[in-house]
Amino acid sequence: MRLALALALAAAVGLTPGCIRNSARRGIEPIWLEMDPTSFVVGNTTRAEVLDRVGVPSQVLALENGTALYYLLERSRADGVILLFYNQRVESSYFDRAIFFFDDSDVLTEFSVSEGAGAR
Amino acid sequence: MIRRLPLVLSTALAAGLAAGLGSSCSVVELRIDQGLDLAECNGFKEGEASLGDVLAALGPPVEFGARGGQIALLYESVRLKETQLGISLGAVLGAGAGDYFKFSYGSSGTDRKAALFLFSEGHVLEGVNTLRFEEPFGRSGSIQVLVTVDEVVSTGGLRASPDAFVEPRELLNGIQWSQNLTHSALVELRGARGRMGQHALDPELSRAEANPD
């Protein structure tokens, strides 16, 4: 009884608990996740079609013989516990990305889209 | 009752004393873009693999840049772990007097992976290099009197935001700054130190040198 009371008292004083959970999103809404990647056809799809379907990109890079469009969304999440003597927090950031390369005729030459948060 | 109190009280006092000393240990872990397979990256053959092959296998890169018709893709993953221990007498002596003594210790370790691909004007792989960096990032301990230090080990460089999030208004800053924005053409690892290469003219660094205080 004494031990239990002592432990309970120690726990109440020493392990006063708290917790953290937060999440954030920053960047372009990943419309491409809802699209079938095979709907983008190398040698056929144009830059105007990609802009029309996927929207305004995060970056546009001018190449010597074409352009590249880069879309990016960052998702971050943090979980943690706050105790009196010990705190722990784990923060993870995942990125959804899409990149499209076009030649000087604005026709798609290469592209790649991520498959969702946490996917490559 | 008299015999019971000492155990309860002594335990409470011990816990209270420890709490009163303000001792605390924090462990912070940061993970960015896990899952980069360096063996897969090294499997692409120079002169054979194309830009499309790499994109199809690895997905969109973390950063990319171009110079003329040549293209560079950078893939990166970061795992950072920080451990911090702090002790102060604030809870015992009060907020003012407690600031006379503080002890803090912090250490960080990283596990970083990166792969850089370079492509020719014909979008054929010219070179690939990979990096695995797994070691302590830094550590520091201090006993402070009258001084408060907030950050013991600086890991800000590894927490840098993607260049894609640079706001357009920054393009209206001085020409030095605009020219040195990394997404203009430069591909660089997180945490690359300043005052080198394309950052040599960064106006913030120039100001820091002119006003070291």
Side-chain angles (χ1 to χ4, degrees), chain A residues 19-80:
Chain A
C19 62
I20 303 171
R21 168 165 286 188
N22 61 43
S23 61
R25 291 161 60 96
R26 195 164 56 141
I28 301 290
E29 193 59 32
I31 301 171
W32 61 90
L33 296 178
E34 301 164 6
M35 298 177 179
D36 182 1
T38 59
S39 64
F40 300 105
V41 182
V42 171
N44 190 14
T45 302
T46 65
R47 187 176 61 187
E49 289 173 9
V50 172
L51 285 169
D52 183 52
R53 292 174 59 195
V54 188
V56 177
S58 304
Q59 286 182 339
V60 179
L61 188 67
L63 308 175
E64 191 173 70
N65 50 4
T67 51
L69 305 181
Y70 187 62
Y71 296 82
L72 177 64
L73 172 71
E74 177 185 10
R75 304 171 197 254
S76 60
R77 176 176 168 170
D79 297 295

Side-chain angles (χ1 to χ4, degrees), chain B residues 4 6 34 39 48 50 56 58 70 84 99 113-114 125-126 130 135-136 140 159 168-169 173 186 192 195 198:
Chain B
R4 288 178 186 172
Q34 299 294 291
E48 293 183 13
S50 68
L58 301 179
Q70 294 179 312
Q84 300 170 0
D99 289 339
K113 291 187 284 189
L125 183 63
E126 283 188 333
T130 57
E135 61 182 27
S140 177
R159 299 170 179 271
R169 67 169 180 269
N173 290 334
L186 176 66
R195 204 177 289 121
Q198 194 167 346

Side-chain angles (χ1 to χ4, degrees), chain A residues 37-47 49-50 53 99-103 106-112, chain B residues 50-53 55-56 123:
Chain A
T38 59
S39 64
F40 300 105
V41 182
V42 171
N44 190 14
T45 302
T46 65
R47 187 176 61 187
E49 289 173 9
V50 172
R53 292 174 59 195
I99 188 168
F100 301 87
F101 289 90
F102 302 90
D103 61 18
D106 295 341
V107 175
L108 186 65
T109 57
E110 294 97 356
F111 77 99
S112 180
Chain B
S50 68
L51 175 63
D53 294 335
L55 289 173
H123 294 189

Side-chain angles (χ1 to χ4, degrees), chain B residues 146-160:
Chain B
L146 296 173
V147 176
T148 300
V149 176
D150 293 323
E151 191 172 24
V152 178
V153 177
S154 175
T155 57
L158 294 181
R159 299 170 179 271

Side-chain angles (χ1 to χ4, degrees), chain B residues 86-111:
Chain B
I87 297 175
S88 77
L89 296 177
V92 173
L93 302 178
D99 289 339
Y100 285 108
F101 173 81
K102 285 187 177 179
F103 168 81
S104 57
Y105 174 81
S107 67
S108 295
T110 59
D111 181 5

Side-chain angles (χ1 to χ4, degrees), chain B residues 9-206:
Chain B
L9 278 180
S10 60
T11 306
L13 282 173
L17 182 60
L21 283 173
S23 62
S24 179
C25 174
S26 296
V27 176
V28 180
E29 190 169 337
L30 176 69
R31 302 168 183 162
I32 302 174
D33 262 354
Q34 299 294 291
L36 181 61
D37 185 348
L38 296 185
E40 184 180 10
C41 296
N42 285 318
F44 295 101
K45 295 198 182 321
E46 297 170 5
E48 293 183 13
S50 68
L51 175 63
D53 294 335
V54 174
L55 289 173
L58 301 179
V62 172
E63 283 195 26
F64 71 109
R67 178 65 70 191
Q70 294 179 312
I71 293 172
L73 304 184
L74 176 67
Y75 294 87
E76 219 181 342
S77 73
V78 176
R79 184 169 182 172
L80 172 68
K81 192 168 187 178
E82 299 178 54
T83 303
Q84 300 170 0
L85 173 66
I87 297 175
S88 77
L89 296 177
V92 173
L93 302 178
D99 289 339
Y100 285 108
F101 173 81
K102 285 187 177 179
F103 168 81
S104 57
Y105 174 81
S107 67
S108 295
T110 59
D111 181 5
R112 303 174 59 192
K113 291 187 284 189
L116 177 66
F117 296 86
L118 297 173
F119 298 90
S120 68
E121 293 185 11
H123 294 189
V124 176
L125 183 63
E126 283 188 333
V128 54
N129 274 288
T130 57
L131 165 74
R132 180 76 186 266
F133 186 79
E134 190 176 13
E135 61 182 27
F137 186 64
R139 67 180 59 170
S140 177
S142 61
I143 297 177
Q144 302 155 34
V145 177
L146 296 173
V147 176
T148 300
V149 176
D150 293 323
E151 191 172 24
V152 178
V153 177
S154 175
T155 57
L158 294 181
R159 299 170 179 271
S161 295
D163 289 327
F165 293 149
V166 173
E167 296 185 28
R169 67 169 180 269
E170 295 194 26
L171 295 170
L172 300 177
N173 290 334
I175 191 167
Q176 291 169 300
W177 175 247
S178 302
Q179 284 182 333
N180 283 300
L181 286 174
T182 55
H183 67 75
S184 60
L186 176 66
V187 173
E188 71 177 13
L189 291 172
R190 279 189 175 86
R193 64 172 297 181
R195 204 177 289 121
M196 58 175 275
Q198 194 167 346
H199 288 300
L201 296 177
D202 277 354
E204 287 186 357
L205 292 173
S206 301

